[in-house]
Amino acid sequence: MDLDIKDLGDYISSTIGADADDVSYAQDELTVTVSADKLIKTLGFLRDDANCQFKQLMDICGVDYPSQPLRFCVVYHLLSLTLNLRVRVKVWTDEDTAIPTATGLFSSAGWFEREAWDLFGIYFSDHPDLRRILTDYGFEGHPLRKDFPLTGYVELRYDDEQKRVVYEPVKLTQEFRSFDFLSPWEGVQTVLPGDEKAEDAGKEDAS
């Protein structure tokens, strides 16, 4: 059965039924939203069903909505080479609730889930090697969270006495300043040197 993306959405919705919280089609894209306990079952269906055949997991990413009770949206992008179609699967979670790992279905999920853990702090249960992948050893926090400070928590430098790289708490040597643009050291001035010549020339032309 050859399905286009809209027909595929109807087929998925009618087949998995209550396992999906929502199946939506917008902007030529199909999105399936499920709860964490239905995630692996849904991903397995999308991979193995003869009318779907989404055999490739292209990406897993996190989105942070700190004002919501379930602040993290974990997004899976699947590709079917057979149908030449893509589908997006979403699952919501909070800081304390784990998402089941998809490494048993897709080997590519290993590094994607490590990245989501490293940058967002989203935990994936039963992951075979869930550790940081982009930040350095000893890094504190998860830098893509919206509440992560722009300066970070620690900074690293090479200590010549210890002959090694050391981590230290971030120290801001200058507090936030309110720029008044009066001093040349406070930023761009509203009137630049030489502007007075243009004003004088305008007065002469007017006269």
Side-chain angles (χ1 to χ4, degrees):
M1 181 168 57
D2 188 13
L3 301 175
D4 63 20
I5 191 68
K6 295 183 70 173
D7 293 336
L8 182 62
D10 295 336
Y11 172 75
I12 292 173
S13 181
S14 62
T15 304
I16 64 178
D19 287 343
D21 295 335
D22 181 62
V23 178
S24 60
Y25 174 80
Q27 304 298 322
D28 296 325
E29 295 181 347
L30 182 63
T31 302
V32 180
T33 304
V34 297
S35 57
D37 60 325
K38 303 295 184 181
L39 174 65
I40 300 304
K41 181 179 179 181
T42 302
L43 292 177
F45 164 78
L46 293 173
R47 185 193 68 173
D48 300 332
D49 186 85
N51 293 316
C52 297
Q53 301 188 55
F54 290 96
K55 303 290 187 181
Q56 291 185 280
L57 174 64
M58 305 305 296
D59 183 39
I60 300 175
C61 62
V63 187
D64 186 14
Y65 300 91
S67 61
Q68 299 189 20
L70 299 178
R71 67 179 291 181
F72 297 120
C73 181
V74 186
V75 186
Y76 300 75
H77 293 100
L78 304 177
L79 170 66
S80 172
L81 291 176
T82 302
L83 301 179
N84 192 27
L85 295 176
R86 297 174 185 266
V87 65
R88 179 189 300 113
V89 178
K90 291 183 177 181
V91 58
W92 292 82
T93 188
D94 55 26
E95 299 177 52
D96 303 317
T97 306
I99 299 293
T101 182
T103 52
L105 294 173
F106 302 99
S107 60
S108 60
W111 281 16
F112 293 145
E113 291 177 354
R114 284 179 59 187
E115 181 182 4
W117 158 249
D118 190 1
L119 301 183
F120 289 95
I122 301 170
Y123 188 78
F124 295 88
S125 60
D126 299 321
H127 189 286
D129 187 23
L130 192 62
R131 55 190 170 93
R132 293 189 182 273
I133 190 172
L134 294 177
T135 59
D136 197 7
Y137 296 104
F139 190 90
E140 296 182 15
H142 305 281
L144 285 190
R145 288 188 176 187
K146 297 290 181 63
D147 51 8
F148 187 82
L150 295 178
T151 58
Y153 295 109
V154 295
E155 58 186 352
L156 72 158
R157 64 176 180 85
Y158 181 78
D159 190 288
D160 194 53
E161 294 181 357
Q162 302 183 48
K163 303 299 182 185
R164 66 182 182 87
V165 173
V166 297
Y167 285 88
E168 296 176 338
V170 172
K171 296 179 182 178
L172 299 180
T173 57
Q174 183 180 24
E175 294 183 358
F176 178 80
R177 301 166 68 183
S178 178
F179 297 103
D180 58 11
F181 298 101
L182 297 179
S183 166
W185 306 108
E186 294 290 352
V188 178
Q189 302 178 69
T190 55
V191 179
L192 297 177
D195 285 354
E196 68 279 358
K197 297 178 181 178
E199 294 178 359
D200 293 341
K203 293 179 181 178
E204 293 178 358
D205 295 339
S207 61

